[in-house]
Amino acid sequence: MYTIVKKLVKNQELNIIEVKQENIEITFMDYGAAILSILVPDKNGLFETVLMGYEDLESYIENPIYLNAIIGPTSGRIKDATFNINGKEYVLDKNHLNMANLHGGSETFAYKVFDYHIVDNLDSTKVIFTLYKKQEESKYPGNQKIEIIYTIEDGKLYIEFNADTDEDTLLNLTNHAYFNLSGNLKSKILNHELYLNSSNIIQLDQYSIPYKVENILNTNLDYKSPRKVQSNGFNGIDHPFLIDEVNIEIPCAILKDSVSKRKLEVYTNYECFVCYTHEYPDDSKLLFGIEQIKNMGICFETQHAPNGINIDGLEDSILRKGHKYSYKSLYKFSVY
Ligand code: FUC
C-alpha cells in the first residue's frame, strides 16, 4: 500500500511517497531519490524511524551531507578531480578542499529530481526512480539512463542500481542512508555493535582521498569480530572497506542495538562500501527538532572502489557503451 503527497519545497513541487507494510514503513522523495524515513519495530513492536532525517524538507535541497540520497555519477573522492578514459582526460568540479571531486560535485544526483513510478503488489512494493543524465549538461562523458529501484518487502529494503550509456563513461552509484537503530534518534550510534566483513580498506591520504589498498586486521578499523562502534580520533570511521567475500547472500555489515534489539544486515554485490560515522554535521536540525551532532548516524554506502580509476588493481568504475550497469544492495531489518 502506498500514498503520494505533493509538497512545495523552495518553489519546487516534490513528491513524497509513503509505502506501508505490516512490518516496515518507508517514505521516499523524488528529489535525490532520497529516503526520508524507515520505520521498523523494536523488541516491543514499537515502530520508530531508524534513519537520521532532516526536520524540514527544505534542508534536503542543499543537503551538504548527502543525507539519505542517491549519489552519482560517482560516489566518493576522485583525486585531482580527474580521470582518463580511452586516452581522453576528463576534469570534474573540485568540490573537496579545492583538490578532489566528492560525490559528483555540482552535478551530483543527490540534487536532481527523479521521475518515478510505482509497482504495487500485495506483499511487495517497488518505487522506481529514473533520471536521464545528458552529456551536454555534464563533465562526464555520454548520456546515461539511471534507474534506481527500491523494493520494500517483508522488513527488507532492496536497492537496485541500473544504468546504460551511449559512450564509455565513469559511473559509481550509491545510496547515502544514515542509520540509527535506537529509534527516533534517541541516542548516538556509538553504543551500537558493528560487524564488517572486511580485512582491507582503501587507505586515505591526509586529504581523505583513497590511494592504496591496506590490510586492517588487528587495527582499530577491524570489525571482523563484532564490537561497539568506535569513532576513531577526529575523523571517525570514513573509509572504503573492500568486502572479503563478495556475495549478495553474505552480509557485508551487521549493526545491532542492544537496547531496542533492532538489527540491520547489509548485503551487496558491489565489491566495496564506505562506512561513515557522520563526522561532519551541517547546520540543519534533525527530525523531532534534534540538534545535529557527530555520530548520530552510520552509513553503509555500497559502491565500487572510490577513486578506483586512479589506483592500480581496483575496479575502475568504467561503464562501457553497450554494457548494462546492474548492482543490488539489501538492507534487512529484524529484532534479535
Ligand atoms: C561520505 C564521506 C565523506 C563526506 C560525506 C558526506 O561518503 O566519505 O567524508 O563527508 O560522505
Side-chain angles (χ1 to χ4, degrees):
M1 198 184 78
Y2 71 93
T3 52
I4 296 168
V5 179
K6 292 189 186 299
K7 290 260 164 97
L8 200 61
V9 185
K10 291 201 171 171
N11 296 322
Q12 293 186 76
E13 191 183 69
L14 299 180
N15 290 274
I16 312 297
I17 304 143
E18 189 181 16
V19 178
K20 269 194 184 196
Q21 288 174 2
E22 204 186 317
N23 47 8
I24 190 162
E25 300 176 13
I26 308 190
T27 309
F28 302 94
M29 176 164 66
D30 51 359
Y31 188 89
I35 315 171
L36 300 180
S37 63
I38 301 179
L39 278 72
V40 289
D42 72 355
K43 60 183 177 197
N44 299 317
L46 179 68
F47 276 71
E48 294 169 313
T49 189
V50 290
L51 208 59
M52 190 175 102
Y54 281 133
E55 180 176 42
D56 300 310
L57 292 178
E58 282 72 18
S59 302
Y60 285 94
I61 304 299
E62 286 181 12
N63 195 357
I65 60 167
Y66 303 86
L67 189 63
N68 308 332
I70 291 294
I71 312 280
T74 47
S75 306
R77 293 174 178 84
I78 296 178
K79 187 175 164 61
D80 299 329
T82 304
F83 63 91
N84 192 301
I85 296 182
N86 304 333
K88 192 169 170 203
E89 184 167 272
Y90 295 88
V91 182
L92 308 171
D93 297 334
K94 288 187 175 162
N95 63 323
H96 172 67
L97 303 176
N98 214 14
M99 63 192 304
N101 181 271
L102 173 63
H103 294 331
S106 59
E107 50 179 301
T108 185
F109 296 164
Y111 308 152
K112 302 273 189 225
V113 180
F114 286 64
D115 292 327
Y116 74 93
H117 67 279
I118 294 170
V119 179
D120 197 26
N121 293 313
L122 205 55
D123 305 317
S124 159
T125 305
K126 285 184 191 297
V127 182
I128 301 163
F129 288 104
T130 48
L131 181 74
Y132 292 89
K133 200 227 73 177
K134 299 193 191 81
Q135 169 145 46
E136 66 260 27
E137 298 165 1
S138 176
K139 299 186 170 77
Y140 296 80
N143 296 285
Q144 288 86 42
K145 182 189 175 196
I146 310 291
E147 182 186 59
I148 305 296
I149 307 178
Y150 291 110
T151 304
I152 306 94
E153 188 183 291
D154 191 25
K156 298 190 283 267
L157 173 63
Y158 293 90
I159 311 179
E160 285 163 81
F161 304 88
N162 298 328
D164 52 36
T165 182
D166 62 358
E167 248 189 72
D168 294 358
T169 195
L170 201 63
L171 196 69
N172 187 6
L173 305 172
T174 194
N175 178 291
H176 208 305
Y178 289 64
F179 297 97
N180 181 326
L181 301 181
S182 69
N184 293 0
L185 309 178
K186 277 196 286 294
S187 62
K188 294 185 186 187
I189 48 84
L190 295 177
N191 62 346
H192 288 24
E193 186 185 285
L194 180 65
Y195 160 81
L196 300 178
N197 184 22
S198 172
S199 308
N200 296 283
I201 58 160
I202 313 174
Q203 187 54 280
L204 309 174
D205 69 13
Q206 58 180 314
Y207 307 108
S208 294
I209 297 160
Y211 75 103
K212 67 160 186 187
V213 176
E214 195 169 289
N215 189 282
I216 46 154
L217 290 177
N218 303 315
T219 72
N220 59 2
L221 290 171
D222 180 355
Y223 284 90
K224 292 280 291 188
S225 303
R227 63 187 167 89
K228 280 200 175 169
V229 177
Q230 249 183 322
S231 188
N232 311 284
F234 79 106
N235 272 338
I237 306 177
D238 185 8
H239 299 80
F241 289 81
L242 295 168
I243 299 169
D244 280 347
E245 199 178 345
V246 183
N247 183 338
I248 188 92
E249 307 286 327
I250 302 174
C252 61
I254 302 175
L255 187 69
K256 286 175 169 181
D257 172 36
S258 63
V259 180
S260 69
K261 294 277 177 197
R262 291 189 181 95
K263 173 161 111 175
L264 165 64
E265 292 161 84
V266 184
Y267 300 78
T268 189
N269 56 6
Y270 275 124
E271 78 283 2
C272 180
F273 60 90
V274 170
C275 182
Y276 171 57
T277 44
H278 188 35
E279 303 298 322
Y280 314 112
D282 64 38
D283 298 331
S284 296
K285 283 208 167 149
L286 300 178
L287 288 169
F288 321 107
I290 292 171
E291 289 298 332
Q292 205 184 128
I293 47 169
K294 274 187 173 199
N295 308 130
M296 277 303 273
I298 182 166
C299 306
F300 304 100
E301 306 159 47
T302 59
Q303 61 187 264
H304 284 312
N307 199 33
I309 188 148
N310 295 316
I311 307 170
D312 284 345
L314 289 175
E315 163 68 50
D316 59 16
S317 302
I318 296 175
L319 179 66
R320 299 283 171 193
K321 179 181 173 180
H323 288 226
K324 289 258 175 234
Y325 187 100
S326 170
Y327 290 89
K328 192 169 186 172
S329 300
L330 161 62
Y331 297 89
K332 180 180 173 188
F333 301 92
S334 57
V335 284
Y336 67 99

